[in-house]
Coordinates of all heavy atoms in Angstrom, one line a residue:
M5 N 54.4 103.1 138.4 CA 54.6 103.4 139.8 C 53.9 104.7 140.2 O 54.1 105.7 139.5 CB 56.1 103.5 140.0 CG 56.5 103.6 141.5 SD 58.2 103.4 141.8 CE 58.7 105.2 142.0
N6 N 53.1 104.7 141.2 CA 52.4 105.9 141.6 C 52.7 106.3 143.0 O 52.0 107.0 143.7 CB 50.9 105.8 141.3 CG 50.4 104.5 141.9 OD1 50.9 104.0 142.8 ND2 49.3 104.0 141.2
I7 N 53.9 106.0 143.4 CA 54.4 106.5 144.7 C 55.5 107.5 144.4 O 56.3 107.3 143.5 CB 55.0 105.3 145.5 CG1 53.8 104.4 145.9 CG2 55.7 105.8 146.8 CD1 54.3 103.1 146.6
K8 N 55.5 108.6 145.1 CA 56.5 109.5 144.9 C 57.1 110.0 146.3 O 56.6 109.7 147.3 CB 56.0 110.7 144.1 CG 54.9 111.5 144.7 CD 54.5 112.6 143.7 CE 53.2 113.4 144.0 NZ 52.8 113.6 145.3
K9 N 58.2 110.7 146.1 CA 58.9 111.2 147.3 C 58.0 112.0 148.2 O 57.2 112.9 147.7 CB 60.0 112.1 146.8 CG 61.1 112.4 147.9 CD 62.2 113.2 147.2 CE 63.2 113.7 148.3 NZ 64.3 114.4 147.7
G10 N 58.0 111.8 149.5 CA 57.2 112.5 150.4 C 55.9 111.8 150.8 O 55.2 112.2 151.8
D11 N 55.6 110.8 150.1 CA 54.4 110.0 150.4 C 54.5 109.2 151.7 O 55.6 108.8 152.0 CB 54.1 109.0 149.3 CG 53.5 109.7 148.0 OD1 53.0 110.8 148.2 OD2 53.5 109.1 147.0
N12 N 53.4 108.9 152.3 CA 53.4 107.9 153.4 C 53.0 106.6 152.8 O 52.0 106.5 152.1 CB 52.5 108.4 154.5 CG 53.1 109.4 155.4 OD1 54.3 109.3 155.9 ND2 52.5 110.5 155.5
I13 N 53.7 105.6 153.2 CA 53.4 104.3 152.6 C 53.4 103.2 153.7 O 53.8 103.4 154.8 CB 54.4 103.8 151.5 CG1 55.8 103.9 152.0 CG2 54.2 104.7 150.2 CD1 56.3 102.6 152.6
K14 N 52.8 102.1 153.4 CA 52.8 100.9 154.3 C 53.4 99.8 153.5 O 53.1 99.5 152.3 CB 51.3 100.6 154.7 CG 51.3 99.5 155.7 CD 49.9 99.3 156.2 CE 50.0 98.3 157.4 NZ 48.8 98.2 158.2
I15 N 54.3 99.0 154.2 CA 54.9 97.9 153.6 C 54.0 96.7 153.7 O 53.5 96.4 154.7 CB 56.2 97.6 154.3 CG1 57.1 98.8 154.4 CG2 57.0 96.5 153.5 CD1 57.5 99.4 153.1
I16 N 53.8 96.1 152.5 CA 52.8 94.9 152.5 C 53.5 93.6 152.4 O 52.8 92.6 152.6 CB 51.7 95.1 151.4 CG1 52.4 95.4 150.1 CG2 50.8 96.2 151.7 CD1 51.5 95.3 148.9
S17 N 54.8 93.5 152.1 CA 55.4 92.2 152.1 C 56.9 92.4 152.5 O 57.4 93.5 152.5 CB 55.3 91.6 150.7 OG 56.0 92.2 149.8
G18 N 57.5 91.2 152.8 CA 58.9 91.3 153.1 C 59.2 91.4 154.6 O 58.2 91.4 155.4
N19 N 60.4 91.5 155.0 CA 60.8 91.6 156.4 C 60.2 92.7 157.1 O 59.9 92.7 158.3 CB 62.3 91.7 156.5 CG 63.0 90.4 156.2 OD1 62.4 89.3 156.2 ND2 64.3 90.5 155.9
D20 N 59.9 93.8 156.4 CA 59.4 95.0 157.1 C 57.9 95.2 157.0 O 57.4 96.2 157.2 CB 60.1 96.3 156.5 CG 61.6 96.3 156.9 OD1 61.9 96.3 158.1 OD2 62.4 96.5 156.0
R21 N 57.3 94.1 156.6 CA 55.8 94.1 156.5 C 55.1 94.7 157.6 O 55.4 94.4 158.8 CB 55.4 92.6 156.4 CG 54.0 92.4 156.0 CD 53.7 90.9 155.9 NE 52.4 90.7 155.6 CZ 51.9 89.5 155.1 NH1 52.8 88.5 155.0 NH2 50.7 89.3 154.9
G22 N 54.2 95.6 157.3 CA 53.4 96.2 158.4 C 53.9 97.6 158.8 O 53.2 98.4 159.4
K23 N 55.2 97.8 158.5 CA 55.7 99.1 158.9 C 55.2 100.2 158.0 O 54.9 100.0 156.8 CB 57.3 99.1 158.7 CG 58.0 98.5 159.8 CD 59.5 98.8 159.6 CE 60.3 98.0 160.6 NZ 61.8 98.1 160.3
T24 N 55.1 101.4 158.5 CA 54.7 102.6 157.7 C 55.9 103.6 157.8 O 56.7 103.6 158.7 CB 53.5 103.3 158.2 OG1 53.6 103.6 159.6 CG2 52.2 102.4 158.0
G25 N 56.0 104.4 156.8 CA 57.1 105.3 156.7 C 56.9 106.3 155.6 O 56.0 106.2 154.8
K26 N 57.8 107.3 155.6 CA 57.8 108.3 154.6 C 58.8 108.0 153.5 O 59.9 107.6 153.8 CB 58.1 109.6 155.3 CG 57.8 110.8 154.4 CD 58.0 112.1 155.2 CE 57.8 113.3 154.3 NZ 58.2 114.5 155.0
V27 N 58.4 108.2 152.3 CA 59.3 107.9 151.1 C 60.3 109.0 151.1 O 60.0 110.2 151.0 CB 58.5 107.9 149.8 CG1 59.4 107.7 148.6 CG2 57.4 106.8 149.9
I28 N 61.6 108.6 151.1 CA 62.6 109.6 151.1 C 63.3 109.6 149.7 O 64.1 110.5 149.4 CB 63.7 109.5 152.2 CG1 64.2 108.1 152.3 CG2 63.0 110.0 153.5 CD1 65.3 107.9 153.4
G29 N 63.0 108.7 148.9 CA 63.6 108.6 147.5 C 62.8 107.8 146.6 O 62.3 106.7 147.1
A30 N 62.6 108.2 145.4 CA 61.8 107.4 144.4 C 62.7 107.2 143.2 O 63.3 108.2 142.7 CB 60.5 108.0 144.1
F31 N 62.7 106.0 142.7 CA 63.5 105.7 141.4 C 62.6 105.1 140.4 O 62.6 103.9 140.3 CB 64.7 104.8 141.8 CG 65.5 105.3 143.0 CD1 65.2 104.9 144.2 CD2 66.5 106.3 142.8 CE1 66.0 105.4 145.3 CE2 67.2 106.8 143.9 CZ 66.9 106.3 145.1
P32 N 61.8 105.9 139.7 CA 60.8 105.3 138.8 C 61.3 104.4 137.7 O 60.7 103.4 137.4 CB 60.2 106.6 138.1 CG 60.5 107.7 139.1 CD 61.8 107.3 139.7
K33 N 62.5 104.7 137.3 CA 63.1 103.8 136.3 C 63.3 102.4 136.8 O 63.2 101.4 136.1 CB 64.5 104.4 135.8 CG 64.3 105.4 134.8 CD 65.7 105.9 134.3 CE 65.6 107.2 133.6 NZ 66.9 107.9 133.5
E34 N 63.7 102.3 138.0 CA 64.0 100.9 138.6 C 62.7 100.4 139.4 O 62.8 99.4 140.0 CB 65.2 100.9 139.5 CG 66.5 101.2 138.8 CD 67.0 102.6 139.1 OE1 67.2 102.9 140.3 OE2 67.3 103.3 138.2
L35 N 61.7 101.3 139.4 CA 60.5 100.9 140.2 C 60.8 100.7 141.7 O 60.2 99.8 142.3 CB 59.7 99.8 139.6 CG 59.2 100.0 138.2 CD1 58.6 98.7 137.6 CD2 58.2 101.1 138.1
R36 N 61.8 101.4 142.2 CA 62.2 101.2 143.6 C 62.0 102.5 144.4 O 62.1 103.6 143.8 CB 63.6 100.8 143.6 CG 63.8 99.3 143.3 CD 65.2 99.0 143.1 NE 65.3 97.6 142.7 CZ 65.5 96.6 143.6 NH1 65.7 96.8 144.8 NH2 65.5 95.3 143.2
I37 N 61.8 102.3 145.7 CA 61.7 103.5 146.6 C 62.6 103.3 147.8 O 62.9 102.1 148.2 CB 60.3 103.7 147.0 CG1 59.6 102.5 147.6 CG2 59.4 104.3 145.9 CD1 58.3 102.7 148.2
T38 N 63.0 104.4 148.4 CA 63.6 104.2 149.8 C 62.7 104.9 150.8 O 62.1 105.9 150.5 CB 65.0 104.9 149.8 OG1 64.9 106.2 149.2 CG2 66.0 104.1 149.1
V39 N 62.5 104.2 151.9 CA 61.6 104.7 152.9 C 62.3 104.8 154.3 O 63.1 103.9 154.6 CB 60.4 103.8 153.0 CG1 59.5 104.2 154.1 CG2 59.7 103.7 151.7
E40 N 62.1 105.9 155.0 CA 62.6 106.1 156.3 C 62.4 104.8 157.2 O 61.3 104.4 157.4 CB 61.9 107.2 157.0 CG 62.7 108.5 157.1 CD 61.8 109.6 157.6 OE1 60.7 109.4 158.1 OE2 62.3 110.8 157.5
G41 N 63.5 104.3 157.7 CA 63.4 103.2 158.7 C 63.0 101.8 158.1 O 62.7 100.9 158.9
V42 N 63.0 101.7 156.8 CA 62.6 100.5 156.2 C 63.7 100.0 155.3 O 64.4 100.7 154.6 CB 61.3 100.6 155.3 CG1 61.0 99.3 154.6 CG2 60.1 101.1 156.2
N43 N 63.9 98.7 155.4 CA 65.0 98.0 154.6 C 66.4 98.6 155.0 O 67.2 98.9 154.1 CB 64.8 98.2 153.1 CG 65.5 97.1 152.3 OD1 65.7 96.0 152.8 ND2 65.9 97.5 151.1
I44 N 66.6 98.7 156.3 CA 67.9 99.3 156.8 C 69.0 98.3 156.6 O 68.8 97.1 157.0 CB 67.7 99.7 158.3 CG1 66.7 100.7 158.5 CG2 69.1 100.1 158.8 CD1 67.0 102.1 157.9
K45 N 70.1 98.7 156.0 CA 71.2 97.8 155.9 C 72.4 98.5 156.6 O 72.5 99.7 156.6 CB 71.6 97.5 154.5 CG 70.6 96.6 153.8 CD 70.7 95.2 154.2 CE 69.3 94.4 154.4 NZ 68.6 94.3 153.2
K46 N 73.2 97.7 157.3 CA 74.3 98.2 157.9 C 75.5 98.2 157.0 O 75.7 97.2 156.3 CB 74.7 97.4 159.2 CG 73.7 97.5 160.3 CD 74.1 96.6 161.4 CE 72.9 96.4 162.4 NZ 73.1 95.3 163.2
K47 N 76.2 99.2 157.0 CA 77.4 99.3 156.1 C 78.6 99.6 156.9 O 78.6 100.6 157.7 CB 77.1 100.3 155.0 CG 78.1 100.3 153.9 CD 77.8 101.4 152.9 CE 78.9 101.3 151.8 NZ 78.8 102.5 150.9
H48 N 79.6 98.8 156.7 CA 80.9 99.1 157.4 C 81.7 100.1 156.6 O 82.0 99.8 155.4 CB 81.7 97.8 157.7 CG 80.9 96.8 158.5 ND1 81.1 96.8 159.9 CD2 80.0 95.9 158.3 CE1 80.4 95.9 160.4 NE2 79.7 95.3 159.4
V49 N 82.0 101.2 157.2 CA 82.8 102.1 156.5 C 84.3 102.1 157.0 O 84.5 102.2 158.2 CB 82.2 103.5 156.7 CG1 83.1 104.6 155.9 CG2 80.8 103.6 156.1
R50 N 85.2 101.9 156.1 CA 86.6 101.8 156.4 C 87.1 103.2 156.8 O 86.6 104.2 156.2 CB 87.4 101.2 155.3 CG 87.1 99.8 155.1 CD 88.1 99.2 154.0 NE 88.1 97.8 154.1 CZ 88.9 97.1 154.9 NH1 89.7 97.7 155.7 NH2 88.8 95.8 154.9
P51 N 88.0 103.2 157.7 CA 88.6 104.5 158.0 C 89.4 105.0 156.7 O 90.1 104.3 156.1 CB 89.6 104.3 159.1 CG 89.8 102.8 159.1 CD 88.6 102.2 158.5
R52 N 89.1 106.2 156.3 CA 89.7 106.8 155.1 C 91.0 107.6 155.5 O 92.0 107.4 154.9 CB 88.7 107.7 154.4 CG 87.7 106.8 153.6 CD 87.1 107.6 152.5 NE 85.8 106.9 152.1 CZ 84.6 107.3 152.7 NH1 84.6 108.3 153.5 NH2 83.5 106.7 152.3
A53 N 90.8 108.5 156.4 CA 92.0 109.3 156.8 C 92.6 108.7 158.1 O 91.9 108.0 158.8 CB 91.5 110.7 157.1
Q54 N 93.8 108.9 158.3 CA 94.5 108.5 159.5 C 93.9 109.1 160.7 O 93.6 110.3 160.7 CB 96.0 108.8 159.4 CG 96.8 107.7 158.7 CD 98.3 107.8 158.9 OE1 98.7 108.9 159.3 NE2 99.0 106.8 158.7
G55 N 93.8 108.3 161.7 CA 93.2 108.9 163.0 C 91.7 108.8 163.0 O 91.1 109.1 164.0
R56 N 91.1 108.5 161.9 CA 89.6 108.3 161.8 C 89.3 106.9 162.1 O 90.0 106.0 161.7 CB 89.1 108.7 160.5 CG 89.1 110.2 160.2 CD 87.7 110.8 160.5 NE 87.7 112.2 160.1 CZ 87.2 112.5 158.9 NH1 86.9 111.6 158.0 NH2 87.2 113.8 158.6
K57 N 88.2 106.7 162.7 CA 87.7 105.3 163.0 C 86.8 104.8 161.8 O 86.1 105.6 161.2 CB 86.9 105.3 164.3 CG 87.8 105.2 165.5 CD 86.9 105.0 166.7 CE 87.8 104.9 168.0 NZ 86.9 104.9 169.2
G58 N 86.9 103.5 161.6 CA 85.9 102.9 160.7 C 84.6 102.9 161.5 O 84.5 102.9 162.7
E59 N 83.5 103.0 160.8 CA 82.2 102.9 161.6 C 81.1 102.2 160.8 O 81.3 101.8 159.7 CB 81.7 104.4 161.9 CG 81.7 105.2 160.7 CD 81.3 106.7 161.0 OE1 80.8 106.9 162.1 OE2 81.6 107.6 160.2
L60 N 80.1 101.9 161.6 CA 79.0 101.2 161.1 C 77.9 102.2 160.7 O 77.3 102.8 161.6 CB 78.5 100.2 162.2 CG 77.7 99.0 161.8 CD1 78.4 98.1 160.8 CD2 77.4 98.2 163.0
V61 N 77.6 102.3 159.5 CA 76.5 103.2 159.1 C 75.3 102.5 158.7 O 75.3 101.5 157.9 CB 77.0 104.1 157.8 CG1 76.0 105.0 157.4 CG2 78.3 104.8 158.2
K62 N 74.2 102.9 159.3 CA 72.9 102.3 158.9 C 72.2 103.2 157.9 O 72.0 104.4 158.1 CB 72.0 102.2 160.1 CG 72.5 101.1 161.1 CD 71.6 101.1 162.3 CE 72.1 100.1 163.3 NZ 71.3 100.2 164.6
M63 N 71.8 102.6 156.8 CA 71.2 103.4 155.8 C 70.0 102.6 155.1 O 70.1 101.4 154.9 CB 72.2 103.9 154.7 CG 73.0 102.7 154.1 SD 74.3 103.4 153.1 CE 73.4 104.2 151.9
P64 N 68.9 103.3 154.8 CA 67.8 102.6 154.1 C 68.2 102.4 152.6 O 68.7 103.3 152.0 CB 66.7 103.6 154.2 CG 67.2 104.9 154.6 CD 68.6 104.7 155.1
L65 N 68.0 101.2 152.1 CA 68.3 100.8 150.7 C 67.0 100.8 149.9 O 65.9 100.5 150.5 CB 68.9 99.5 150.7 CG 70.4 99.4 151.2 CD1 70.9 98.0 150.9 CD2 71.3 100.4 150.5
P66 N 67.1 101.1 148.6 CA 65.9 101.0 147.8 C 65.3 99.6 147.7 O 66.1 98.7 147.7 CB 66.4 101.5 146.4 CG 67.7 102.2 146.7 CD 68.3 101.5 147.9
F67 N 64.0 99.5 147.7 CA 63.4 98.2 147.5 C 62.2 98.4 146.5 O 61.8 99.5 146.3 CB 62.9 97.6 148.8 CG 61.9 98.5 149.6 CD1 60.5 98.3 149.4 CD2 62.3 99.5 150.4 CE1 59.6 99.1 150.0 CE2 61.4 100.3 151.1 CZ 60.1 100.1 150.9
P68 N 61.7 97.3 146.0 CA 60.7 97.4 144.9 C 59.4 98.1 145.5 O 58.9 97.8 146.5 CB 60.4 96.0 144.6 CG 61.6 95.2 144.9 CD 62.1 95.9 146.1
A69 N 58.9 99.1 144.7 CA 57.7 99.8 145.1 C 56.5 98.9 145.2 O 55.5 99.3 145.9 CB 57.5 101.0 144.1
S70 N 56.6 97.8 144.6 CA 55.4 96.9 144.6 C 55.2 96.3 146.0 O 54.2 95.7 146.3 CB 55.6 95.7 143.6 OG 56.8 95.0 143.9
R71 N 56.2 96.4 146.9 CA 56.1 96.0 148.3 C 55.4 97.0 149.2 O 55.3 96.8 150.4 CB 57.5 95.5 148.8 CG 57.8 94.1 148.4 CD 59.3 93.8 148.7 NE 59.6 94.1 150.1 CZ 60.9 94.1 150.5 NH1 61.9 93.8 149.7 NH2 61.1 94.4 151.7
A72 N 55.1 98.2 148.6 CA 54.6 99.2 149.4 C 53.2 99.6 148.9 O 52.9 99.5 147.7 CB 55.5 100.4 149.5
M73 N 52.4 100.1 149.8 CA 51.1 100.7 149.4 C 51.0 102.1 149.9 O 51.4 102.4 151.0 CB 49.9 99.9 149.9 CG 49.4 98.8 149.0 SD 48.0 98.0 149.7 CE 46.7 98.6 148.7
L74 N 50.5 102.9 149.1 CA 50.3 104.3 149.5 C 49.2 104.4 150.6 O 48.2 103.7 150.6 CB 49.7 105.1 148.3 CG 49.7 106.6 148.3 CD1 51.1 107.2 148.4 CD2 49.0 107.1 147.0
V75 N 49.5 105.3 151.6 CA 48.6 105.5 152.7 C 47.9 106.8 152.4 O 48.5 107.8 152.2 CB 49.2 105.5 154.1 CG1 48.2 105.9 155.1 CG2 49.8 104.1 154.4
C76 N 46.5 106.7 152.3 CA 45.8 107.9 152.0 C 45.8 109.0 153.1 O 45.7 108.6 154.3 CB 44.3 107.5 151.8 SG 43.2 108.9 151.6
G77 N 46.1 110.2 152.8 CA 46.2 111.3 153.7 C 44.9 111.6 154.4 O 44.9 112.1 155.5
S78 N 43.8 111.4 153.8 CA 42.5 111.8 154.4 C 41.8 110.7 155.1 O 41.1 110.9 156.1 CB 41.6 112.5 153.4 OG 41.5 111.7 152.2
C79 N 41.8 109.5 154.6 CA 41.2 108.4 155.3 C 42.1 107.5 156.1 O 41.7 106.7 156.9 CB 40.2 107.6 154.4 SG 41.1 106.6 153.1
G80 N 43.4 107.6 155.8 CA 44.4 106.9 156.6 C 44.5 105.4 156.2 O 45.2 104.7 156.9
R81 N 43.9 105.0 155.2 CA 43.9 103.6 154.8 C 44.9 103.4 153.7 O 45.0 104.2 152.8 CB 42.5 103.1 154.4 CG 41.6 103.0 155.6 CD 40.2 102.5 155.2 NE 39.5 103.5 154.4 CZ 38.3 103.4 154.1 NH1 37.6 102.3 154.3 NH2 37.7 104.3 153.4
P82 N 45.5 102.2 153.7 CA 46.4 101.9 152.5 C 45.5 101.8 151.3 O 44.4 101.2 151.4 CB 47.1 100.6 152.9 CG 46.3 100.1 154.1 CD 45.5 101.1 154.7
T83 N 46.0 102.3 150.2 CA 45.1 102.3 149.0 C 46.0 102.2 147.8 O 47.2 102.4 147.8 CB 44.3 103.6 149.0 OG1 43.5 103.5 147.8 CG2 45.2 104.8 148.9
R84 N 45.3 101.8 146.7 CA 46.0 101.9 145.4 C 45.6 103.3 144.9 O 44.4 103.6 144.8 CB 45.5 100.8 144.4 CG 46.2 99.5 144.6 CD 45.4 98.4 143.9 NE 44.1 98.3 144.5 CZ 43.0 98.3 143.8 NH1 43.0 98.3 142.5 NH2 41.8 98.2 144.4
A85 N 46.6 104.1 144.5 CA 46.3 105.4 144.0 C 45.8 105.2 142.5 O 46.2 104.3 141.8 CB 47.5 106.3 144.0
H86 N 44.9 106.0 142.1 CA 44.3 105.9 140.8 C 44.5 107.3 140.2 O 44.2 108.3 140.7 CB 42.9 105.6 141.1 CG 42.0 105.7 139.9 ND1 42.2 105.0 138.7 CD2 40.9 106.5 139.6 CE1 41.3 105.3 137.9 NE2 40.5 106.2 138.4
I87 N 45.0 107.3 139.0 CA 45.2 108.5 138.3 C 44.0 108.8 137.4 O 43.7 108.0 136.5 CB 46.6 108.5 137.5 CG1 47.7 108.5 138.5 CG2 46.7 109.8 136.6 CD1 49.1 108.3 137.9
L88 N 43.4 109.9 137.6 CA 42.2 110.3 136.8 C 42.6 110.4 135.4 O 43.5 111.1 135.0 CB 41.6 111.6 137.3 CG 40.8 111.5 138.6 CD1 40.3 112.9 138.9 CD2 39.7 110.5 138.6
P89 N 41.8 109.7 134.5 CA 42.1 109.9 133.1 C 41.6 111.2 132.5 O 40.7 111.8 133.1 CB 41.3 108.7 132.4 CG 40.3 108.4 133.4 CD 40.7 108.8 134.8
G90 N 42.3 111.7 131.5 CA 41.8 112.9 130.9 C 42.1 114.2 131.5 O 41.7 115.3 131.1
E91 N 42.9 114.1 132.6 CA 43.3 115.4 133.3 C 44.7 115.8 132.7 O 45.5 114.9 132.4 CB 43.5 115.2 134.8 CG 42.2 114.7 135.4 CD 41.4 115.8 136.0 OE1 42.0 116.8 136.4 OE2 40.2 115.7 136.1
T92 N 44.9 117.1 132.6 CA 46.2 117.5 132.0 C 47.3 117.3 133.1 O 48.3 116.8 132.9 CB 46.2 119.0 131.6 OG1 45.4 119.7 132.5 CG2 45.6 119.1 130.2
K93 N 46.9 117.7 134.3 CA 47.8 117.5 135.4 C 47.5 116.1 136.1 O 46.3 115.9 136.3 CB 47.7 118.6 136.5 CG 48.7 118.6 137.6 CD 48.6 119.9 138.4 CE 49.5 119.8 139.6 NZ 48.9 119.2 140.8
K94 N 48.4 115.3 136.2 CA 48.1 114.0 136.8 C 47.7 114.1 138.2 O 48.4 114.7 139.1 CB 49.4 113.1 136.8 CG 49.6 112.4 135.4 CD 50.7 111.5 135.4 CE 50.9 110.9 134.1 NZ 52.1 110.0 134.0
Q95 N 46.4 113.7 138.5 CA 45.9 113.8 139.8 C 45.6 112.4 140.4 O 44.8 111.7 139.8 CB 44.5 114.6 139.7 CG 43.8 114.8 141.0 CD 44.6 115.7 141.9 OE1 44.8 116.9 141.7 NE2 45.1 115.2 143.0
R96 N 46.3 112.1 141.5 CA 46.1 110.8 142.1 C 44.9 110.9 143.0 O 44.7 111.8 143.7 CB 47.3 110.4 142.8 CG 48.5 110.1 141.9 CD 49.6 109.6 142.7 NE 49.8 110.4 143.9 CZ 50.7 110.2 144.9 NH1 51.5 109.1 144.8 NH2 50.8 111.0 145.9
V97 N 44.1 109.9 143.0 CA 42.9 109.8 143.8 C 42.8 108.5 144.6 O 43.1 107.5 144.1 CB 41.6 110.0 142.9 CG1 40.4 109.6 143.6 CG2 41.5 111.4 142.3
C98 N 42.4 108.6 145.8 CA 42.3 107.4 146.7 C 41.1 106.6 146.2 O 40.0 107.1 145.9 CB 42.0 107.9 148.1 SG 41.6 106.6 149.2
R99 N 41.4 105.3 146.0 CA 40.3 104.4 145.5 C 39.2 104.2 146.6 O 38.1 103.8 146.2 CB 40.9 103.0 145.3 CG 41.8 103.0 144.1 CD 41.0 102.5 142.9 NE 41.9 102.2 141.8 CZ 41.4 101.9 140.5 NH1 40.1 102.0 140.3 NH2 42.2 101.7 139.6
K100 N 39.6 104.5 147.8 CA 38.6 104.2 148.9 C 37.7 105.4 149.2 O 36.5 105.2 149.5 CB 39.3 103.6 150.1 CG 39.7 102.2 149.8 CD 40.5 101.6 151.0 CE 40.9 100.1 150.6 NZ 42.0 99.7 151.4
C101 N 38.3 106.5 149.4 CA 37.5 107.7 149.8 C 37.3 108.7 148.7 O 36.5 109.6 148.8 CB 38.0 108.3 151.1 SG 39.6 109.1 150.9
G102 N 38.1 108.5 147.6 CA 37.9 109.4 146.4 C 38.5 110.8 146.5 O 38.4 111.6 145.6
S103 N 39.3 111.0 147.6 CA 39.9 112.3 147.7 C 41.3 112.3 147.1 O 41.9 111.2 146.9 CB 40.0 112.8 149.2 OG 40.9 111.9 149.9
A104 N 41.8 113.4 146.7 CA 43.1 113.5 146.1 C 44.2 113.2 147.1 O 44.1 113.6 148.2 CB 43.3 114.9 145.5
V105 N 45.2 112.5 146.6 CA 46.3 112.2 147.5 C 47.6 112.6 146.9 O 47.7 112.8 145.7 CB 46.4 110.6 147.8 CG1 45.4 110.3 148.9 CG2 46.2 109.8 146.6
Ligands
ZN204 ZN1 41.3 107.8 151.2

């Protein structure tokens, strides 16, 4: 998985196809990400304390990172990030314009 928190991504499949958003959470172990405004699920919250109302909370749920593509910061196109081999620090590079992302 080469998407990390803070990246801009574009959804390429599923109900939210075509949407773009910022990654707000990455779960590399599960290969899942959460993205602002994508895969929103409504959750009914029961009133916990007396006098409080139950409410409907909308929250983005994690979905498989394979449904998203990284959007390059310099050329603005969705791309597969490529990690340069042989570098000590992992440097992701845009496949299309070659700049670091
Ligand atoms: Zn690029």
